[in-house]
Amino acid sequence: MENLPKKELINVVKAGMTGSRSAFALAVGRLAVKLKKTDLTLAQEISKFLSMENVMRGAGEFAPAPVDVDSRMELVETIYPVQLAKQPIFDRETQSTLNLVLKEWSRLNELLQEGLAPARMLLFCGQPGVGKTLAAHWMAQELGLPLLTLNLATVMSSFLGKTGNNVRAVFNHAVSRPCVLLLDEFDAIAKRRDDDTDVGELKRLVNVLLQALDDWPINSMLIAATNHGDLLDPAVWRRFEHIINFQTPSHELIEQYLIEFVQNDIARSNLAALLLGESFSTIQQIILSSRKEALLEQSELLKTLVRNSVRFRLSKGGVEKPHEGEMVLMHLEGYSRREIAARLGKTHPTVSKVIKRYLGE
């Protein structure tokens, strides 16, 4: 017993008496690492109890969600199991980071036995519609964990102290079982504490949040998503192991996204170029409305998709050569290529070339 590392032993007892199952497992792992230097056999015996099965026990078994005292509305939305219709498309760097985190979780046993924990707090930054929420759903699906999403409209309160109490209730609920907790619109509860107009409520809220982040267990993942990373309190940034910046999709990713709906290579590439700069969310909406329209009108999906995309981009001034968009729209309205050429002052071959690029004809 004289060889037992006293500090680590005290941490084990403390975690066992006051902490979560995962905090206890991490403390035991760190004790085992120290013991390897003096008593390898004992360290190996202790390490046998450090398994993913033990640490992740109870996933999916939640008590009823906490509610706001005044409105009686639930503070979190729970989805379990999470099942996406298809594999999301992420850029190479984002996919690589997410895969790295999943790899750490898949080897949780090895990490625990070395007194280490997998990355468990991720910050997603980027404009609306670029895939932040979808990525959180995908991570929950891949980990096989429930997804809890903070209901910001219910959590935020005009009463002093109420918002902090609601946030604390959400975290107390989330840490009771392994899960993925998504804090969408994170900047609403993690704003900088240097606002001169603040009466102190914001500072108290951020302090509550920081304490909750520090106490976050290793058998759950916390994902915060924000459209305004510049508004976050500096102390918040340091709590996250990975910060992922989501961008609007590249031409290559849009092509990959469209391949299910547009088989013609030339038309797909040109449509991707037309939609470059739009978010996946916007592109998805254009595809969805086009599919419904094509079904109801018994028309070809590609033509409907191109027509709606051209109209949308022209309305935003997002078409590099607007006259090409006009050519395509006139063609889809039934004008002959010669009529289009005459009306727009272009040659017949030019009109034919543009239509072929957009529609593959």
Side-chain angles (χ1 to χ4, degrees), residues 145-189:
L145 293 175
L147 176 68
L148 276 60
T149 303
L150 179 141
N151 187 336
L152 186 63
T154 307
V155 166
M156 299 299 286
S157 173
S158 59
F159 296 102
L160 290 177
K162 280 290 301 298
T163 299
N165 291 340
N166 284 343
V167 169
R168 191 179 291 108
V170 168
F171 273 88
N172 289 341
H173 177 69
V175 300
S176 66
R177 294 289 187 275
C179 68
V180 174
L181 175 62
L182 172 61
L183 305 177
D184 212 351
E185 299 183 66
F186 187 54
D187 47 278
I189 60 172

Tab-separated table of all heavy atoms in Angstrom, residues 145-189:
chain	number	residue	atom	x	y	z
A	145	LEU	N	-25.816	7.294	-29.601
A	145	LEU	CA	-26.258	7.968	-28.377
A	145	LEU	C	-27.492	8.827	-28.649
A	145	LEU	O	-27.703	9.282	-29.777
A	145	LEU	CB	-25.140	8.865	-27.833
A	145	LEU	CG	-23.890	8.167	-27.298
A	145	LEU	CD1	-22.839	9.205	-26.905
A	145	LEU	CD2	-24.226	7.274	-26.106
A	146	PRO	N	-28.295	9.073	-27.617
A	146	PRO	CA	-29.423	9.994	-27.765
A	146	PRO	C	-28.909	11.401	-28.076
A	146	PRO	O	-27.846	11.801	-27.601
A	146	PRO	CB	-30.100	9.952	-26.399
A	146	PRO	CG	-29.580	8.736	-25.721
A	146	PRO	CD	-28.212	8.496	-26.257
A	147	LEU	N	-29.676	12.139	-28.870
A	147	LEU	CA	-29.348	13.534	-29.148
A	147	LEU	C	-30.313	14.426	-28.381
A	147	LEU	O	-31.528	14.355	-28.563
A	147	LEU	CB	-29.467	13.832	-30.647
A	147	LEU	CG	-29.242	15.299	-31.035
A	147	LEU	CD1	-27.782	15.693	-30.805
A	147	LEU	CD2	-29.633	15.542	-32.494
A	148	LEU	N	-29.753	15.255	-27.500
A	148	LEU	CA	-30.549	16.219	-26.741
A	148	LEU	C	-30.247	17.610	-27.292
A	148	LEU	O	-29.083	17.995	-27.388
A	148	LEU	CB	-30.196	16.184	-25.252
A	148	LEU	CG	-30.883	15.127	-24.372
A	148	LEU	CD1	-30.559	13.716	-24.860
A	148	LEU	CD2	-30.463	15.291	-22.923
A	149	THR	N	-31.277	18.325	-27.691
A	149	THR	CA	-31.095	19.672	-28.236
A	149	THR	C	-31.735	20.685	-27.315
A	149	THR	O	-32.927	20.575	-26.994
A	149	THR	CB	-31.726	19.789	-29.639
A	149	THR	OG1	-31.152	18.799	-30.494
A	149	THR	CG2	-31.469	21.175	-30.225
A	150	LEU	N	-30.949	21.657	-26.880
A	150	LEU	CA	-31.451	22.695	-25.996
A	150	LEU	C	-32.506	23.519	-26.721
A	150	LEU	O	-32.282	23.984	-27.844
A	150	LEU	CB	-30.295	23.579	-25.533
A	150	LEU	CG	-30.630	24.751	-24.614
A	150	LEU	CD1	-29.567	24.903	-23.544
A	150	LEU	CD2	-30.727	26.052	-25.412
A	151	ASN	N	-33.668	23.684	-26.100
A	151	ASN	CA	-34.743	24.504	-26.652
A	151	ASN	C	-34.516	25.945	-26.220
A	151	ASN	O	-34.928	26.364	-25.136
A	151	ASN	CB	-36.102	23.997	-26.159
A	151	ASN	CG	-37.264	24.701	-26.829
A	151	ASN	OD1	-37.135	25.827	-27.308
A	151	ASN	ND2	-38.416	24.047	-26.871
A	152	LEU	N	-33.834	26.705	-27.076
A	152	LEU	CA	-33.392	28.047	-26.696
A	152	LEU	C	-34.565	28.967	-26.368
A	152	LEU	O	-34.507	29.750	-25.413
A	152	LEU	CB	-32.561	28.653	-27.823
A	152	LEU	CG	-31.896	30.003	-27.521
A	152	LEU	CD1	-30.884	29.856	-26.394
A	152	LEU	CD2	-31.233	30.564	-28.762
A	153	ALA	N	-35.647	28.855	-27.132
A	153	ALA	CA	-36.799	29.737	-26.911
A	153	ALA	C	-37.389	29.539	-25.519
A	153	ALA	O	-37.868	30.486	-24.892
A	153	ALA	CB	-37.861	29.472	-27.974
A	154	THR	N	-37.348	28.302	-25.019
A	154	THR	CA	-37.891	28.018	-23.688
A	154	THR	C	-36.886	28.347	-22.594
A	154	THR	O	-37.251	28.838	-21.524
A	154	THR	CB	-38.294	26.537	-23.582
A	154	THR	OG1	-39.155	26.213	-24.674
A	154	THR	CG2	-39.014	26.259	-22.284
A	155	VAL	N	-35.620	28.080	-22.867
A	155	VAL	CA	-34.574	28.297	-21.856
A	155	VAL	C	-34.406	29.774	-21.523
A	155	VAL	O	-34.260	30.154	-20.367
A	155	VAL	CB	-33.232	27.703	-22.346
A	155	VAL	CG1	-32.069	28.211	-21.490
A	155	VAL	CG2	-33.274	26.180	-22.304
A	156	MET	N	-34.444	30.634	-22.551
A	156	MET	CA	-34.237	32.064	-22.322
A	156	MET	C	-35.439	32.658	-21.603
A	156	MET	O	-36.591	32.407	-21.945
A	156	MET	CB	-34.018	32.793	-23.649
A	156	MET	CG	-32.805	32.310	-24.418
A	156	MET	SD	-31.246	32.544	-23.528
A	156	MET	CE	-31.042	34.317	-23.691
A	157	SER	N	-35.172	33.430	-20.571
A	157	SER	CA	-36.234	34.035	-19.774
A	157	SER	C	-35.929	35.502	-19.520
A	157	SER	O	-34.774	35.911	-19.433
A	157	SER	CB	-36.381	33.295	-18.436
A	157	SER	OG	-37.295	33.965	-17.589
A	158	SER	N	-36.980	36.287	-19.417
A	158	SER	CA	-36.801	37.718	-19.130
A	158	SER	C	-36.599	37.964	-17.640
A	158	SER	O	-36.267	39.071	-17.228
A	158	SER	CB	-38.037	38.506	-19.621
A	158	SER	OG	-39.207	38.037	-18.978
A	159	PHE	N	-36.806	36.935	-16.829
A	159	PHE	CA	-36.659	37.096	-15.383
A	159	PHE	C	-35.210	36.866	-14.965
A	159	PHE	O	-34.557	35.920	-15.414
A	159	PHE	CB	-37.557	36.106	-14.649
A	159	PHE	CG	-39.022	36.340	-14.892
A	159	PHE	CD1	-39.721	35.545	-15.781
A	159	PHE	CD2	-39.698	37.365	-14.240
A	159	PHE	CE1	-41.070	35.759	-16.031
A	159	PHE	CE2	-41.044	37.596	-14.475
A	159	PHE	CZ	-41.730	36.795	-15.376
A	160	LEU	N	-34.698	37.743	-14.120
A	160	LEU	CA	-33.328	37.627	-13.642
A	160	LEU	C	-33.107	36.269	-12.980
A	160	LEU	O	-33.873	35.842	-12.122
A	160	LEU	CB	-33.026	38.743	-12.638
A	160	LEU	CG	-32.925	40.164	-13.209
A	160	LEU	CD1	-32.691	41.160	-12.076
A	160	LEU	CD2	-31.811	40.247	-14.223
A	161	GLY	N	-32.054	35.592	-13.408
A	161	GLY	CA	-31.693	34.322	-12.787
A	161	GLY	C	-32.380	33.113	-13.386
A	161	GLY	O	-31.892	31.997	-13.237
A	162	LYS	N	-33.513	33.320	-14.055
A	162	LYS	CA	-34.265	32.177	-14.575
A	162	LYS	C	-33.521	31.452	-15.694
A	162	LYS	O	-33.526	30.230	-15.759
A	162	LYS	CB	-35.638	32.634	-15.089
A	162	LYS	CG	-36.684	32.838	-14.018
A	162	LYS	CD	-37.116	31.509	-13.401
A	162	LYS	CE	-37.694	30.576	-14.444
A	162	LYS	NZ	-38.923	31.098	-15.092
A	163	THR	N	-32.889	32.200	-16.603
A	163	THR	CA	-32.181	31.576	-17.718
A	163	THR	C	-31.046	30.698	-17.198
A	163	THR	O	-30.862	29.567	-17.648
A	163	THR	CB	-31.626	32.635	-18.686
A	163	THR	OG1	-32.714	33.401	-19.219
A	163	THR	CG2	-30.884	31.979	-19.827
A	164	GLY	N	-30.290	31.216	-16.223
A	164	GLY	CA	-29.209	30.421	-15.632
A	164	GLY	C	-29.728	29.156	-14.982
A	164	GLY	O	-29.120	28.086	-15.110
A	165	ASN	N	-30.849	29.254	-14.299
A	165	ASN	CA	-31.445	28.070	-13.670
A	165	ASN	C	-31.872	27.046	-14.717
A	165	ASN	O	-31.717	25.838	-14.530
A	165	ASN	CB	-32.655	28.475	-12.815
A	165	ASN	CG	-32.262	29.257	-11.581
A	165	ASN	OD1	-31.110	29.193	-11.139
A	165	ASN	ND2	-33.193	30.016	-11.029
A	166	ASN	N	-32.427	27.534	-15.818
A	166	ASN	CA	-32.852	26.630	-16.892
A	166	ASN	C	-31.664	25.928	-17.532
A	166	ASN	O	-31.715	24.728	-17.819
A	166	ASN	CB	-33.642	27.406	-17.954
A	166	ASN	CG	-35.052	27.739	-17.508
A	166	ASN	OD1	-35.568	27.153	-16.558
A	166	ASN	ND2	-35.682	28.683	-18.192
A	167	VAL	N	-30.589	26.683	-17.784
A	167	VAL	CA	-29.381	26.086	-18.361
A	167	VAL	C	-28.814	25.027	-17.418
A	167	VAL	O	-28.423	23.930	-17.842
A	167	VAL	CB	-28.326	27.178	-18.657
A	167	VAL	CG1	-26.976	26.538	-18.996
A	167	VAL	CG2	-28.798	28.070	-19.802
A	168	ARG	N	-28.785	25.344	-16.132
A	168	ARG	CA	-28.283	24.380	-15.147
A	168	ARG	C	-29.143	23.114	-15.127
A	168	ARG	O	-28.619	21.998	-15.035
A	168	ARG	CB	-28.262	25.040	-13.758
A	168	ARG	CG	-27.508	24.225	-12.705
A	168	ARG	CD	-27.489	24.932	-11.362
A	168	ARG	NE	-26.676	26.136	-11.388
A	168	ARG	CZ	-27.150	27.369	-11.355
A	168	ARG	NH1	-28.457	27.575	-11.303
A	168	ARG	NH2	-26.340	28.405	-11.365
A	169	ALA	N	-30.454	23.276	-15.263
A	169	ALA	CA	-31.358	22.126	-15.273
A	169	ALA	C	-31.121	21.246	-16.495
A	169	ALA	O	-31.169	20.014	-16.411
A	169	ALA	CB	-32.813	22.602	-15.250
A	170	VAL	N	-30.840	21.879	-17.640
A	170	VAL	CA	-30.553	21.126	-18.867
A	170	VAL	C	-29.293	20.295	-18.695
A	170	VAL	O	-29.250	19.110	-19.043
A	170	VAL	CB	-30.418	22.079	-20.073
A	170	VAL	CG1	-29.830	21.349	-21.276
A	170	VAL	CG2	-31.770	22.678	-20.440
A	171	PHE	N	-28.246	20.901	-18.145
A	171	PHE	CA	-26.993	20.173	-17.960
A	171	PHE	C	-27.152	19.054	-16.932
A	171	PHE	O	-26.625	17.952	-17.119
A	171	PHE	CB	-25.877	21.131	-17.547
A	171	PHE	CG	-25.175	21.774	-18.705
A	171	PHE	CD1	-25.651	22.952	-19.261
A	171	PHE	CD2	-24.054	21.188	-19.253
A	171	PHE	CE1	-25.015	23.537	-20.333
A	171	PHE	CE2	-23.396	21.766	-20.329
A	171	PHE	CZ	-23.882	22.945	-20.880
A	172	ASN	N	-27.868	19.314	-15.860
A	172	ASN	CA	-28.083	18.270	-14.855
A	172	ASN	C	-28.813	17.082	-15.456
A	172	ASN	O	-28.533	15.919	-15.121
A	172	ASN	CB	-28.887	18.826	-13.670
A	172	ASN	CG	-28.073	19.786	-12.823
A	172	ASN	OD1	-26.839	19.780	-12.878
A	172	ASN	ND2	-28.752	20.616	-12.047
A	173	HIS	N	-29.733	17.360	-16.355
A	173	HIS	CA	-30.462	16.294	-17.035
A	173	HIS	C	-29.547	15.548	-18.008
A	173	HIS	O	-29.545	14.311	-18.054
A	173	HIS	CB	-31.650	16.895	-17.796
A	173	HIS	CG	-32.433	15.911	-18.607
A	173	HIS	ND1	-33.210	14.927	-18.047
A	173	HIS	CD2	-32.555	15.764	-19.957
A	173	HIS	CE1	-33.789	14.211	-19.004
A	173	HIS	NE2	-33.406	14.699	-20.169
A	174	ALA	N	-28.747	16.294	-18.768
A	174	ALA	CA	-27.902	15.685	-19.804
A	174	ALA	C	-26.820	14.781	-19.214
A	174	ALA	O	-26.510	13.729	-19.789
A	174	ALA	CB	-27.258	16.773	-20.661
A	175	VAL	N	-26.254	15.162	-18.077
A	175	VAL	CA	-25.148	14.376	-17.513
A	175	VAL	C	-25.638	13.126	-16.786
A	175	VAL	O	-24.830	12.308	-16.339
A	175	VAL	CB	-24.274	15.219	-16.552
A	175	VAL	CG1	-23.680	16.415	-17.279
A	175	VAL	CG2	-25.065	15.658	-15.335
A	176	SER	N	-26.947	12.952	-16.684
A	176	SER	CA	-27.464	11.784	-15.974
A	176	SER	C	-27.304	10.496	-16.771
A	176	SER	O	-27.358	9.401	-16.215
A	176	SER	CB	-28.943	11.990	-15.619
A	176	SER	OG	-29.748	12.053	-16.786
A	177	ARG	N	-27.119	10.593	-18.083
A	177	ARG	CA	-26.926	9.437	-18.944
A	177	ARG	C	-26.004	9.825	-20.092
A	177	ARG	O	-25.952	10.993	-20.475
A	177	ARG	CB	-28.260	8.953	-19.532
A	177	ARG	CG	-29.259	8.400	-18.537
A	177	ARG	CD	-28.808	7.041	-17.988
A	177	ARG	NE	-29.852	6.447	-17.156
A	177	ARG	CZ	-30.044	6.700	-15.875
A	177	ARG	NH1	-29.260	7.594	-15.274
A	177	ARG	NH2	-30.994	6.098	-15.192
A	178	PRO	N	-25.271	8.878	-20.690
A	178	PRO	CA	-24.464	9.197	-21.878
A	178	PRO	C	-25.347	9.739	-22.996
A	178	PRO	O	-26.425	9.193	-23.266
A	178	PRO	CB	-23.850	7.846	-22.257
A	178	PRO	CG	-23.832	7.062	-20.981
A	178	PRO	CD	-25.074	7.473	-20.251
A	179	CYS	N	-24.913	10.810	-23.662
A	179	CYS	CA	-25.715	11.420	-24.720
A	179	CYS	C	-24.841	12.366	-25.541
A	179	CYS	O	-23.661	12.562	-25.248
A	179	CYS	CB	-26.893	12.199	-24.123
A	179	CYS	SG	-26.391	13.684	-23.196
A	180	VAL	N	-25.446	12.940	-26.571
A	180	VAL	CA	-24.862	14.079	-27.286
A	180	VAL	C	-25.777	15.261	-27.015
A	180	VAL	O	-26.979	15.206	-27.302
A	180	VAL	CB	-24.771	13.823	-28.805
A	180	VAL	CG1	-24.298	15.088	-29.525
A	180	VAL	CG2	-23.828	12.661	-29.103
A	181	LEU	N	-25.245	16.307	-26.415
A	181	LEU	CA	-26.018	17.505	-26.122
A	181	LEU	C	-25.660	18.576	-27.145
A	181	LEU	O	-24.502	18.959	-27.269
A	181	LEU	CB	-25.731	18.023	-24.711
A	181	LEU	CG	-26.396	19.356	-24.327
A	181	LEU	CD1	-27.921	19.247	-24.367
A	181	LEU	CD2	-25.935	19.815	-22.943
A	182	LEU	N	-26.662	19.052	-27.882
A	182	LEU	CA	-26.459	20.107	-28.877
A	182	LEU	C	-26.960	21.437	-28.332
A	182	LEU	O	-28.136	21.572	-27.983
A	182	LEU	CB	-27.198	19.759	-30.178
A	182	LEU	CG	-27.236	20.871	-31.244
A	182	LEU	CD1	-25.826	21.245	-31.693
A	182	LEU	CD2	-28.084	20.433	-32.438
A	183	LEU	N	-26.055	22.399	-28.257
A	183	LEU	CA	-26.402	23.761	-27.843
A	183	LEU	C	-26.402	24.632	-29.094
A	183	LEU	O	-25.372	25.187	-29.484
A	183	LEU	CB	-25.400	24.296	-26.811
A	183	LEU	CG	-25.199	23.442	-25.555
A	183	LEU	CD1	-24.134	24.059	-24.660
A	183	LEU	CD2	-26.506	23.278	-24.786
A	184	ASP	N	-27.541	24.691	-29.769
A	184	ASP	CA	-27.639	25.475	-30.999
A	184	ASP	C	-27.774	26.949	-30.646
A	184	ASP	O	-28.213	27.298	-29.547
A	184	ASP	CB	-28.843	25.002	-31.811
A	184	ASP	CG	-28.604	25.131	-33.311
A	184	ASP	OD1	-27.584	25.739	-33.692
A	184	ASP	OD2	-29.428	24.629	-34.097
A	185	GLU	N	-27.365	27.825	-31.593
A	185	GLU	CA	-27.366	29.282	-31.336
A	185	GLU	C	-26.640	29.574	-30.022
A	185	GLU	O	-27.121	30.316	-29.154
A	185	GLU	CB	-28.795	29.822	-31.313
A	185	GLU	CG	-29.537	29.620	-32.631
A	185	GLU	CD	-30.921	30.221	-32.608
A	185	GLU	OE1	-31.026	31.459	-32.524
A	185	GLU	OE2	-31.905	29.445	-32.654
A	186	PHE	N	-25.478	29.002	-29.895
A	186	PHE	CA	-24.706	29.018	-28.660
A	186	PHE	C	-24.388	30.431	-28.182
A	186	PHE	O	-24.276	30.689	-26.971
A	186	PHE	CB	-23.415	28.224	-28.877
A	186	PHE	CG	-22.584	27.999	-27.656
A	186	PHE	CD1	-23.128	27.426	-26.520
A	186	PHE	CD2	-21.238	28.346	-27.638
A	186	PHE	CE1	-22.355	27.197	-25.388
A	186	PHE	CE2	-20.457	28.116	-26.522
A	186	PHE	CZ	-21.010	27.543	-25.398
A	187	ASP	N	-24.234	31.357	-29.129
A	187	ASP	CA	-23.868	32.727	-28.763
A	187	ASP	C	-24.939	33.396	-27.899
A	187	ASP	O	-24.651	34.364	-27.195
A	187	ASP	CB	-23.618	33.565	-30.022
A	187	ASP	CG	-24.710	33.379	-31.060
A	187	ASP	OD1	-24.645	32.389	-31.812
A	187	ASP	OD2	-25.627	34.200	-31.101
A	188	ALA	N	-26.168	32.879	-27.926
A	188	ALA	CA	-27.238	33.478	-27.121
A	188	ALA	C	-27.012	33.285	-25.628
A	188	ALA	O	-27.477	34.095	-24.816
A	188	ALA	CB	-28.585	32.874	-27.520
A	189	ILE	N	-26.285	32.223	-25.257
A	189	ILE	CA	-26.037	31.978	-23.829
A	189	ILE	C	-24.563	32.068	-23.458
A	189	ILE	O	-24.194	31.845	-22.311
A	189	ILE	CB	-26.576	30.593	-23.403
A	189	ILE	CG1	-25.890	29.469	-24.208
A	189	ILE	CG2	-28.083	30.514	-23.553
A	189	ILE	CD1	-26.239	28.079	-23.714
